[in-house]
Amino acid sequence: MKQLKVAREQQVAVFGESGSGKTVLLSSFYGAAQEPAFLKQSLFAIDADDTAQGRKLHQFFLGMKNAGATPPTNRFSATKYVFSVKRRPRAMEKGKKAAAEELRLVWHDYPGEWFEEDPSTPEEVTRRAETFSALVGSDVAVLLIDAQRLTDNSGEEERYLKALLTNYISHVSRVRDELLPDGQRLVRFPRVWIFGLSKADLLPDVDVTTFRDLLVEKVGQEMSLLQEELAAFVEEPEAFSLGEDFVLLSSARFEPGRIDVGHQVGVRLMLPIAAMLPFSRYVRWAKALRTGGKVASELVKYAGSAITFLTALKLPGKLKIFTLVLPFVADPLLEFSTAKIQAAYDTAVARHDFLAAVLLGFRLDLDRAVEEQVLVESTK
């Protein structure tokens, strides 16, 4: 009998100016997942669907690890990377043979130069809008703030931050006119926008709360303006958040002549952020949109797909009440303690339920990051 293949695809879009660390972040994410230490302790392996792309990212990672060389910049190139998260051959191998379950991550890398330089021709305006439109299927977008630029502007951080957010606002406004010529708003669009501090190792005394407070203090008005610009893309803009979630990201520790790739902060969170951070948000928004409609249906579809993997478990305690009757279901993960989610995770591992174990493990990763002051997660 042919086995059922279960696939769940999450998409994340990463935005940042040139030099903000997007390529280093991506290379570190993929390269670290190929290291024996990761594979030994992880339930899953991460493979690039495009072998050549994966080899290049791994090459960049090894160049940092062994030669202290940073990856070359890739100017004006908007690239999509697709990764498959698969059960390791020896992970959870006991028990009955499982279905060919799979989780996929699509990572969109948006050209940083497009935030800094005006388009030179109408054709370039159109190309930028078309590239931006390719990202509308993403679940989460990450806006990078460069710690090196903050360090260079120490004491006057608002100079850099205001210029950066003004560039974001101008670019978004320009592509919106091209992308939505008839003013028809989108049902499918990244509804969770996170600020990430890239190269966070340069600011070792800054935790994620300090990072959040710096942005709110220095550029709170610009954050609100950017939120308005992006919310104008989406139908039901109340189901949208920007500047409510923050994360520290350090791809490695950079020292003179050496790059310590074993010292990472937040890089492994990229998968949990894409796969599970929007989950409870979508549940709450779907409940709030009691009038129903296309947006509520889209949110239900997203949240329901995650619950589908979790309902198959005989979970401990209240976690057994998972149901697909949305939008009236209670928030099924955040209302439970980390200890109960840990118990559910242990049950999933014991039952060899791969996807449920991975998703619950991601929820635990997010909880741990909040506890360690690496992540601020909105409760709205």
Side-chain angles (χ1 to χ4, degrees):
M1 180 176 177
K2 187 176 180 180
Q3 290 183 311
L4 173 67
K5 183 172 183 177
V6 181
R8 173 175 166 80
E9 181 176 283
Q10 304 304 130
Q11 299 194 37
V12 61
V14 180
F15 298 84
E17 292 183 315
S18 57
S20 60
K22 297 192 304 299
T23 304
V24 174
L25 175 64
L26 178 59
S27 302
S28 296
F29 165 80
Y30 184 72
Q34 311 311 308
E35 293 286 277
F38 176 89
L39 295 172
K40 183 177 180 180
Q41 57 85 36
S42 177
L43 295 176
F44 56 85
I46 300 175
D47 296 324
D49 285 18
D50 185 317
T51 303
Q53 278 188 342
R55 187 177 296 115
K56 180 174 289 187
L57 293 175
H58 197 191
Q59 181 183 25
F60 290 162
F61 176 80
L62 293 175
M64 290 189 286
K65 176 183 177 181
N66 299 325
T70 55
T73 57
N74 196 11
R75 288 178 59 82
F76 299 107
S77 177
T79 307
K80 179 176 77 172
Y81 301 84
V82 181
F83 303 103
S84 293
V85 180
K86 300 178 180 178
R87 178 195 301 253
R88 287 197 305 107
R90 297 181 183 84
M92 305 170 64
E93 62 183 352
K94 296 180 180 179
K96 64 181 180 180
K97 193 172 183 180
E101 302 156 316
E102 184 176 299
L103 175 71
R104 289 158 58 86
L105 173 69
V106 179
W107 184 309
H108 299 275
D109 191 359
Y110 197 69
E113 291 80 8
W114 285 358
F115 294 111
E116 305 161 43
E117 303 177 18
D118 291 331
S120 56
T121 65
E123 290 75 16
E124 187 176 343
V125 173
T126 301
R127 184 161 64 93
R128 294 187 186 198
E130 290 173 347
T131 301
F132 194 86
S133 70
L135 311 180
V136 300
S138 297
D139 305 288
V140 180
V142 180
L143 294 162
L144 296 183
I145 306 294
D146 189 342
Q148 181 64 66
R149 298 289 302 276
L150 290 176
T151 301
D152 294 342
N153 289 274
S154 180
E156 298 180 312
E157 293 89 353
E158 64 273 14
R159 293 177 57 188
Y160 159 62
L161 293 172
K162 284 181 180 292
L164 175 65
L165 265 67
T166 298
N167 285 342
Y168 282 152
I169 293 166
S170 298
H171 183 71
V172 167
S173 177
R174 187 181 300 117
V175 298
R176 188 180 73 245
D177 293 340
E178 185 71 23
L179 188 58
L180 307 177
D182 57 359
Q184 186 68 36
R185 296 190 179 199
L186 303 171
V187 171
R188 187 70 172 149
F189 190 76
R191 291 181 178 269
V192 179
W193 291 69
I194 303 172
F195 282 104
L197 179 64
S198 66
K199 309 175 191 174
D201 56 292
L202 298 176
L203 298 170
D205 296 328
V206 173
D207 62 25
V208 73
T209 301
T210 305
F211 170 53
R212 177 200 65 188
D213 292 351
L214 174 68
L215 292 185
V216 173
E217 177 186 359
K218 301 294 186 181
V219 286
Q221 182 177 2
E222 286 78 8
M223 290 169 67
S224 296
L225 290 173
L226 180 58
Q227 180 179 350
E228 291 175 8
E229 288 288 345
L230 286 167
F233 277 89
V234 296
E235 193 172 330
E236 303 285 8
E238 60 269 30
F240 176 87
S241 72
L242 178 143
E244 298 177 22
D245 305 87
F246 303 82
V247 65
L248 302 184
L249 297 167
S250 176
S251 302
R253 176 180 288 160
F254 288 76
E255 302 169 354
R258 180 174 178 267
I259 301 175
D260 181 4
V261 297
H263 186 84
Q264 294 184 345
V265 177
V267 176
R268 290 193 185 184
L269 290 177
M270 293 300 289
L271 253 177
I273 282 172
M276 287 302 286
L277 187 141
F279 170 55
S280 294
R281 203 78 47 85
Y282 282 20
V283 171
R284 293 194 292 271
W285 286 339
K287 289 168 62 181
L289 297 175
R290 298 197 179 273
T291 56
K294 291 183 293 183
V295 174
S297 297
E298 184 72 22
L299 298 176
V300 167
K301 178 181 176 182
Y302 174 91
S305 65
I307 295 175
T308 298
F309 294 123
L310 301 174
T311 48
L313 291 172
K314 293 180 180 178
L315 300 173
K318 281 188 175 182
L319 287 172
K320 289 188 291 186
I321 68 170
F322 280 154
T323 174
L324 293 178
V325 184
L326 291 172
F328 307 105
V329 62
D331 185 343
L333 287 181
L334 288 185
E335 72 175 35
F336 299 110
S337 67
T338 298
K340 287 188 176 181
I341 297 174
Q342 180 68 54
Y345 170 81
D346 294 340
T347 297
V349 173
R351 289 172 56 86
H352 316 296
D353 290 291
F354 173 68
L355 278 173
V358 169
L359 292 174
L360 289 167
F362 287 166
R363 181 63 257 172
L364 290 170
D365 290 339
L366 295 175
D367 289 347
R368 192 176 303 113
V370 171
E371 181 70 24
E372 295 174 354
Q373 278 287 286
V374 174
L375 174 72
V376 167
E377 185 176 359
S378 173
T379 58
K380 293 182 180 179

